[in-house]
Amino acid sequence: MTELREHRLKRLSMRSMRRGIKEMDIILSRYAELRLESFDDAMLDRYDALLSENDQDLYQWVSGQKQPPEALRDMISDISTVAFQH
């Protein structure tokens, strides 16, 4: 059975808020709030996969401490832009 879009958005939003470290809760919940509604199914698939990554790795990628894997580079860059804009 296919997950309804509204349920998927809600699930991804919740996964964005309930991370292992508080910094990623804040960064990803803000990103989800600003971007998820506009994502097509392929982008939602990519974001869903990104949420399976380890929080320490995600934080180092988003903060520029380490280079993200090529497959995630565009999305990590967008997350960084959202997270660190004033």
Side-chain angles (χ1 to χ4, degrees), residues 9-86:
L9 292 174
K10 199 175 286 187
R11 177 178 60 80
L12 292 174
S13 291
M14 290 302 292
R15 285 187 65 203
S16 298
M17 284 187 262
R18 305 228 193 294
R19 306 296 305 170
I21 60 174
K22 188 65 174 172
E23 293 85 354
M24 290 313 300
D25 292 351
I26 294 166
I27 290 168
L28 291 178
S29 63
R30 177 182 165 109
Y31 184 76
E33 181 181 324
L34 294 173
R35 295 285 200 261
L36 289 188
E37 289 283 336
S38 67
F39 282 177
D40 62 16
D41 288 340
M43 286 296 289
L44 289 174
D45 289 344
R46 289 181 64 206
Y47 187 69
D48 203 356
L50 176 125
L51 291 177
S52 297
E53 297 289 338
N54 177 290
D55 267 1
Q56 272 69 22
D57 291 335
L58 279 172
Y59 185 75
Q60 289 179 333
W61 298 335
V62 169
S63 65
Q65 295 174 33
K66 288 189 177 178
Q67 284 291 320
E70 183 64 37
L72 299 175
R73 200 158 286 157
D74 289 345
M75 187 169 280
I76 294 292
S77 176
D78 192 38
I79 292 168
S80 296
T81 298
V82 169
F84 300 109
Q85 58 181 229
H86 295 19

